[in-house]
């Protein structure tokens, strides 16, 4: 299959390596060209514009935010301008932009294929793919999804649906961090070790990867280097709030998270992992 | 081992059956005597007072709330009055009462042994036990804990510590319900099926029993008969808030839960499962 | 008129002086007897028990909290035991206790007569009285209310109604403080002087005494000595939350206040004026 | 003085009439031209572009939102393109846009002159003006401010400061509505008439116009026709949240308001007065 990949950040590059490993043809594009070099050494072809990257069976975009997606997808030399097959949008973007992208694509040719998993999972092809769009188009993406992920979930016929599920997932991670932050603050101030509490939680009803991963980060108190930066967490909570606002859905948990994120940022949370959100609860409780 | 069991509700009776099955001697007491009959038929001895039930190697109490515990443990014919060995307090009670009980017991003779798990798990001896108290006393409880549970967690030397962990656990279940409620409301109002969202959540980062159990309940929309009644959920959130207040720990999530519980109660939530808390978010979003 | 006054704290003593000034007969009782001395010097008669204080046309109680009221009103030598006329309960108590007191009094003989105003206003007879109870009984209180207050509001036939209005008033003061705290934090962090903002607010739509009084306190940043201690503010917010809970009324603002109070207490707020609640918002914003 | 007025909505038109009444020369512009006719009949001169309106001693803009302001002020035929004197921006806009406008104006020539007051007050010249900007430029606006308002507050040298104070004012009105909504819900569900409660509040510590105005609206339960439409209230709360976010200031009250506004919108609140926010609390409490 001839696949294009637009956006070679940490996740995009890992996905590119998986696609090459699966023996697909790959054309890559990135704003700063040097990121393409190692992939070219492994057999990819570097192209000059997103438009050229789109000139294959499938093109995947994996970009930082709404602004980058608008430019790279809808610009004069953008993906839509050159689209020959299906465009898989994997970026975490707003529901609003996803709807706008759908309008701008030929009917049925946009698939939202959002992914869950940290970069390490991407390297191992162990991402989870959440896909939405025209069923036939999603079927065409099968080989690509198989290359990058361990399992694909189909959530509906309109592409924005996958974007919504993606940001809901991130909202739920942030809620888990906040919950652990409050629980650990209460435990610690009452003389119970956070690690003991976490052991019980993980070992009983709350044995999900998210509790273990973030619980251990918070117990360690080491938030640097960040796996996912705190301001990005705020960005995603705001995407959820925006989706709620557009559809008139109050989301008091998301509102609370937003305020806690701002508190964290006002106390030096710019460059740390978003697990540091838990420090807000500790500080409010007067813990050092 | 000669064990007493005080309080033969759904959980207490299941624990009693496990203890008999493990070939321990068992003396039982319950406020309404007829609950003891089937256990007596299986070999237990019914006694007239909690005081008599305490006249063995170990006595376990499993009661409904603070009020019942105060009476049955500290009353004239209560457990403390007759205590010969160790008293395992398994009731979900306030941290404040746990501290008061500790004062009222001979030094080291109170163990808080709280349990996680639904009644069905108790029947199978699959509860999780969270224990706190004097290490030697907790050791003495080993045979009893092995009879009722699949694993015991030791969380600290002061009995109230297990009670705190227990109510934090219930707080986290309630938070999970609230999170799912908001997430499903947002998904549904945007045309995404809640069952699809749940499939993604359970299949990726949120694969904990609590997400699966409560997610399925909310997707079904059937909250009757209740596994755990909604007003009891409010009671436990209030125990967490009280613990937070006593130790000056703000818990904005718990506060939010309290308000949502009241909204649920104001809309007929008296006799339903606490998963119905999710309906509050749906109603606020104007969903039917 | 022969009036008894039970409870000679700052407010009670001021009310006693106004009653003497209005030429009524006055019998006084206080737990610690020395508080009665200056009033006896002005013509009051000190009695040994609340029961004796109640042996006149009218007895007013002004006590610190539910616990004190239960003892002094319902105890063996309490007010109800000796009540000859009408009992005016002026203490800030829970709705629940107010209902219980109503049950314990002869029909129609309890009037809740709560007061708004700082001690200085009490000295000048400038309190506002919020009264509820049997209309005829409230009428009998006229001369006493005229002595202590500038205006009486009648809010309903059941005594607890005045207690509810009183705690709602205190809830609204706390909300005002919180609102000013957030507004000032936002202004200050954006380079706008809080005093300028307050000048606009007071001079336009928000020209209520409560905005001016608490706004100036917060602008000054001086919370010591306290006019009304912060923990008492939390106590009253909890009374509102309890009333909301008993009647299944979610009160998200009151819940928010509760958490902010706890944050304040966790940061040394024990002995300051409740206007210091505003510091919580400043701290969350990273202001010094 | 030769004054331009751009934007002839309800407020802008009332301000125009006051300026004419004060014998200033007035040139007016509005997107839909017919709104200018009655003013021309009273002596104003209609111009074709905002640019022409700016060709006098002073030009005032009073527009609906950020979008309109950007176009009308910064567009090719906009105010800045033709500015000869001082531009008074009276629109309720974001702090971010106010900063951008300041950059786009000649140094010191932008004054933010926000107003408080309903349209009826504008007709009577009884608005309150909150001004910020270069002191000399603000002085030049004196005659215009005197024509439209009863009092001018100067809040700082940077124009955005007045915009911030304006949106904080609207945030505080919304908070007042929410507070009254919760208080009335609690009172009503406990049998206390909301009108009685309002009488006490207005007559004692909360005697501000905002409490009286909105309290009476809520007691009446009549929200149509709207004085200020509910969605505009949400818009302003969002401006406050945006200002808080940009400066890292958590604003939990504003977050709560946002959710309550969404609840109101999800229940038909599109075309009613924002006092209808109080219905959200009533509904949550199960009141019909």
């Amino acid at each position: 299959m001839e696949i294009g990949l637009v956006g070679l950040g940490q996740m995009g590059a890992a996905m590119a390596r998986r696609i090459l490993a699966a023996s697909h043809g790959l054309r890559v594009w990135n704003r700063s060209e040097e990121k393409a070099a190692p992939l070219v050494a492994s057999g990819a072809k570097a192209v000059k514009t997103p438009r050229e990257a789109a000139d294959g069976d499938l093109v995947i975009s994996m970009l930082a935010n709404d602004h980058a997606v608008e430019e790279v997808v809808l610009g004069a030399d953008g993906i839509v301008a050159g689209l020959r097959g299906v465009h898989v949008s994997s970026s975490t973007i707003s529901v609003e932009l996803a709807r706008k992208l759908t309008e701008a694509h030929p009917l049925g040719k946009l698939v939202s294929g959002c992914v869950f998993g940290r970069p390490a999972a991407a390297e191992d092809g162990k991402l989870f793919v959440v896909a939405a769009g025209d069923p036939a188009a999603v079927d065409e993406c099968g080989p690509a999804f198989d290359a990058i992920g361990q399992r694909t979930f189909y959530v509906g016929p309109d592409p924005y649906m996958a974007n919504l599920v993606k940001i809901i997932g991130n909202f739920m991670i942030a809620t888990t961090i906040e919950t652990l932050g409050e629980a650990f603050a209460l435990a610690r101030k009452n003389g119970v070790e956070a690690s003991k509490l976490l052991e019980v939680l993980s070992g009983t009803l709350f044995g999900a990867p998210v509790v273990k991963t973030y619980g251990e980060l918070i117990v360690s108190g080491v938030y640097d280097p960040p796996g996912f930066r705190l301001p990005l967490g705020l960005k995603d909570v705001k995407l959820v709030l925006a989706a709620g606002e557009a559809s008139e859905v109050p989301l008091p948990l998301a509102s609370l998270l937003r305020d806690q994120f701002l508190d964290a940022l006002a106390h030096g949370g710019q460059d740390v992992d978003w697990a540091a959100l838990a420090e807000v609860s500790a500080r409010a409780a007067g813990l050092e």
Side-chain angles (χ1 to χ4, degrees), chain A:
Chain A
M1 206 171 184
E2 184 66 20
I3 299 176
L5 210 154
V6 166
L8 300 173
Q10 215 175 353
M11 289 296 282
M15 288 157 67
R17 282 188 284 273
R18 296 297 307 178
I19 288 166
L20 284 172
S23 304
H24 295 294
L26 183 67
R27 47 185 70 197
V28 295
W29 179 88
N30 195 66
R31 186 173 305 275
S32 55
E33 294 182 16
E34 73 277 8
K35 296 228 173 148
L39 293 163
V40 170
S42 305
K45 177 186 173 194
V47 295
K48 294 290 180 197
T49 61
R51 180 178 193 147
E52 290 173 65
D55 187 24
D57 304 311
L58 197 79
V59 57
I60 301 172
S61 59
M62 186 50 148
L63 300 155
N65 52 40
D66 276 31
H67 182 72
V69 169
E70 280 220 64
E71 278 197 5
V72 169
V73 176
L74 303 180
D77 277 326
I79 286 173
V80 168
L83 192 62
R84 202 152 60 79
V86 167
H87 171 206
V88 177
S89 171
S90 292
S91 316
T92 301
I93 58 170
S94 68
V95 168
E96 186 188 3
L97 179 55
R99 290 183 189 268
K100 183 175 168 184
L101 292 182
T102 304
E103 293 293 316
H105 280 70
L107 190 67
K109 293 306 181 189
L110 175 67
V111 167
S112 280
C114 300
V115 296
F116 282 104
R118 294 215 162 200
E123 294 293 347
D124 297 341
K126 296 291 186 198
L127 295 176
F128 294 101
V129 180
V130 176
D134 179 81
V138 173
D139 276 352
E140 288 179 45
C141 305
F145 289 163
D146 290 347
I148 62 173
Q150 61 174 297
R151 183 173 168 196
T152 298
F153 299 86
Y154 178 73
V155 294
D158 209 319
Y160 78 84
M161 293 173 167
N163 299 92
L164 183 67
V165 169
K166 169 64 186 175
I167 60 178
I168 287 176
N170 281 12
F171 155 62
M172 288 184 60
I173 298 174
T175 303
T176 301
I177 297 171
E178 171 66 20
T179 307
L180 291 170
E182 296 191 17
F184 288 180
L186 181 60
R188 288 172 57 201
K189 204 151 180 203
N190 282 280
V192 174
E193 289 173 38
S195 60
K196 291 279 183 200
L197 173 58
L198 179 60
E199 196 188 331
V200 175
L201 297 173
S202 305
T204 60
L205 280 76
F206 301 94
V210 69
V211 169
K212 189 173 153 58
T213 303
Y214 289 100
E216 287 174 0
L217 265 170
I218 301 169
V219 167
S220 79
V222 179
Y223 304 112
D224 190 6
F228 186 69
R229 285 178 56 242
L230 194 140
L232 296 177
L234 174 56
K235 192 200 72 163
D236 289 355
V237 167
K238 284 171 57 185
L239 291 179
V240 167
L241 287 168
E245 190 175 311
S247 52
E248 297 173 349
V249 180
L251 297 167
L253 276 177
S255 291
L256 168 57
L257 289 172
R258 186 184 164 284
D259 285 311
Q260 302 289 76
F261 271 108
L262 290 179
D263 189 320
L265 288 173
H267 291 85
Q270 201 66 35
D271 292 313
V272 294
D273 194 89
W274 64 337
L277 195 66
E279 296 298 307
V280 176
S281 294
R283 190 166 47 244
L287 292 164
E288 74 284 357

Short mmCIF file of all heavy atoms in Angstrom, two decimals, chain A residues 113-136:
data_model
loop_
_atom_site.label_atom_id
_atom_site.label_comp_id
_atom_site.label_asym_id
_atom_site.label_seq_id
_atom_site.Cartn_x
_atom_site.Cartn_y
_atom_site.Cartn_z
N GLY A 113 -8.91 8.73 12.82
CA GLY A 113 -8.30 7.53 13.39
C GLY A 113 -7.41 7.94 14.56
O GLY A 113 -6.20 8.04 14.42
N CYS A 114 -8.04 8.19 15.68
CA CYS A 114 -7.30 8.68 16.84
C CYS A 114 -6.65 7.52 17.58
O CYS A 114 -7.13 6.39 17.49
CB CYS A 114 -8.24 9.42 17.78
SG CYS A 114 -9.02 10.83 16.98
N VAL A 115 -5.59 7.81 18.29
CA VAL A 115 -4.87 6.72 18.94
C VAL A 115 -4.70 6.97 20.43
O VAL A 115 -4.56 8.09 20.88
CB VAL A 115 -3.47 6.52 18.31
CG1 VAL A 115 -3.62 6.08 16.84
CG2 VAL A 115 -2.62 7.77 18.39
N PHE A 116 -4.76 5.90 21.21
CA PHE A 116 -4.44 5.93 22.63
C PHE A 116 -3.15 5.17 22.84
O PHE A 116 -2.96 4.08 22.27
CB PHE A 116 -5.54 5.25 23.45
CG PHE A 116 -6.76 6.11 23.67
CD1 PHE A 116 -7.93 5.89 22.95
CD2 PHE A 116 -6.73 7.15 24.60
CE1 PHE A 116 -9.05 6.68 23.16
CE2 PHE A 116 -7.86 7.93 24.81
CZ PHE A 116 -9.02 7.70 24.08
N GLY A 117 -2.29 5.70 23.68
CA GLY A 117 -1.03 5.02 23.98
C GLY A 117 0.10 6.02 24.03
O GLY A 117 0.07 7.04 23.38
N ARG A 118 1.09 5.69 24.85
CA ARG A 118 2.26 6.56 24.96
C ARG A 118 3.21 6.24 23.81
O ARG A 118 3.06 5.20 23.13
CB ARG A 118 2.93 6.33 26.32
CG ARG A 118 2.03 6.80 27.49
CD ARG A 118 2.88 7.38 28.61
NE ARG A 118 2.11 8.20 29.54
CZ ARG A 118 2.64 9.10 30.36
NH1 ARG A 118 3.95 9.32 30.36
NH2 ARG A 118 1.91 9.81 31.17
N PRO A 119 4.19 7.09 23.52
CA PRO A 119 5.12 6.85 22.40
C PRO A 119 5.76 5.46 22.41
O PRO A 119 5.91 4.84 21.35
CB PRO A 119 6.17 7.95 22.59
CG PRO A 119 5.40 9.08 23.21
CD PRO A 119 4.42 8.40 24.14
N ALA A 120 6.07 4.95 23.58
CA ALA A 120 6.69 3.62 23.64
C ALA A 120 5.77 2.56 23.04
O ALA A 120 6.21 1.63 22.35
CB ALA A 120 7.04 3.26 25.09
N ALA A 121 4.46 2.70 23.31
CA ALA A 121 3.50 1.76 22.75
C ALA A 121 3.45 1.90 21.23
O ALA A 121 3.28 0.91 20.51
CB ALA A 121 2.11 2.01 23.36
N ALA A 122 3.59 3.13 20.77
CA ALA A 122 3.57 3.36 19.32
C ALA A 122 4.75 2.65 18.66
O ALA A 122 4.62 2.04 17.59
CB ALA A 122 3.61 4.86 19.03
N GLU A 123 5.92 2.68 19.27
CA GLU A 123 7.11 2.01 18.72
C GLU A 123 6.87 0.52 18.57
O GLU A 123 7.36 -0.13 17.64
CB GLU A 123 8.33 2.23 19.64
CG GLU A 123 8.81 3.67 19.74
CD GLU A 123 9.40 4.20 18.42
OE1 GLU A 123 9.67 3.40 17.50
OE2 GLU A 123 9.56 5.43 18.32
N ASP A 124 6.09 -0.02 19.49
CA ASP A 124 5.83 -1.47 19.47
C ASP A 124 4.58 -1.84 18.68
O ASP A 124 4.17 -3.00 18.69
CB ASP A 124 5.67 -1.99 20.91
CG ASP A 124 6.93 -1.80 21.72
OD1 ASP A 124 8.01 -1.61 21.11
OD2 ASP A 124 6.83 -1.82 22.97
N GLY A 125 3.97 -0.85 18.03
CA GLY A 125 2.73 -1.14 17.31
C GLY A 125 1.59 -1.52 18.23
O GLY A 125 0.68 -2.25 17.87
N LYS A 126 1.64 -1.02 19.46
CA LYS A 126 0.65 -1.41 20.45
C LYS A 126 -0.37 -0.32 20.76
O LYS A 126 -1.01 -0.33 21.82
CB LYS A 126 1.37 -1.80 21.77
CG LYS A 126 2.26 -3.02 21.65
CD LYS A 126 1.44 -4.29 21.45
CE LYS A 126 2.32 -5.54 21.48
NZ LYS A 126 1.63 -6.71 20.88
N LEU A 127 -0.48 0.64 19.87
CA LEU A 127 -1.49 1.67 20.08
C LEU A 127 -2.89 1.06 19.98
O LEU A 127 -3.07 -0.02 19.42
CB LEU A 127 -1.35 2.77 19.02
CG LEU A 127 -0.06 3.60 19.07
CD1 LEU A 127 0.00 4.58 17.91
CD2 LEU A 127 0.06 4.33 20.41
N PHE A 128 -3.86 1.77 20.52
CA PHE A 128 -5.26 1.47 20.26
C PHE A 128 -5.77 2.52 19.29
O PHE A 128 -5.50 3.71 19.48
CB PHE A 128 -6.09 1.52 21.55
CG PHE A 128 -5.72 0.44 22.53
CD1 PHE A 128 -4.92 0.71 23.63
CD2 PHE A 128 -6.20 -0.86 22.35
CE1 PHE A 128 -4.58 -0.28 24.53
CE2 PHE A 128 -5.86 -1.86 23.26
CZ PHE A 128 -5.04 -1.58 24.35
N VAL A 129 -6.46 2.10 18.26
CA VAL A 129 -6.99 3.03 17.28
C VAL A 129 -8.50 3.16 17.46
O VAL A 129 -9.20 2.16 17.56
CB VAL A 129 -6.68 2.54 15.84
CG1 VAL A 129 -7.25 3.54 14.81
CG2 VAL A 129 -5.19 2.35 15.63
N VAL A 130 -8.95 4.39 17.54
CA VAL A 130 -10.39 4.67 17.60
C VAL A 130 -10.76 5.34 16.28
O VAL A 130 -10.31 6.45 15.99
CB VAL A 130 -10.74 5.58 18.79
CG1 VAL A 130 -12.23 5.92 18.77
CG2 VAL A 130 -10.34 4.91 20.09
N ALA A 131 -11.57 4.64 15.49
CA ALA A 131 -11.85 5.12 14.14
C ALA A 131 -13.31 5.47 13.95
O ALA A 131 -14.20 4.84 14.53
CB ALA A 131 -11.46 4.05 13.13
N ALA A 132 -13.55 6.50 13.14
CA ALA A 132 -14.92 6.87 12.77
C ALA A 132 -14.90 7.43 11.36
O ALA A 132 -13.93 8.07 10.94
CB ALA A 132 -15.48 7.90 13.74
N GLY A 133 -15.96 7.17 10.65
CA GLY A 133 -16.07 7.65 9.28
C GLY A 133 -16.86 6.65 8.44
O GLY A 133 -17.42 5.67 8.98
N ASP A 134 -16.89 6.89 7.17
CA ASP A 134 -17.57 5.99 6.24
C ASP A 134 -17.01 4.57 6.39
O ASP A 134 -15.78 4.37 6.34
CB ASP A 134 -17.30 6.50 4.82
CG ASP A 134 -17.95 5.61 3.78
OD1 ASP A 134 -19.16 5.76 3.55
OD2 ASP A 134 -17.22 4.75 3.23
N PRO A 135 -17.87 3.57 6.61
CA PRO A 135 -17.37 2.20 6.89
C PRO A 135 -16.43 1.68 5.80
O PRO A 135 -15.42 1.05 6.11
CB PRO A 135 -18.65 1.37 6.97
CG PRO A 135 -19.72 2.33 7.34
CD PRO A 135 -19.36 3.63 6.70
N ALA A 136 -16.75 1.95 4.55
CA ALA A 136 -15.88 1.46 3.48
C ALA A 136 -14.50 2.11 3.56
O ALA A 136 -13.47 1.44 3.39
CB ALA A 136 -16.52 1.75 2.12
#
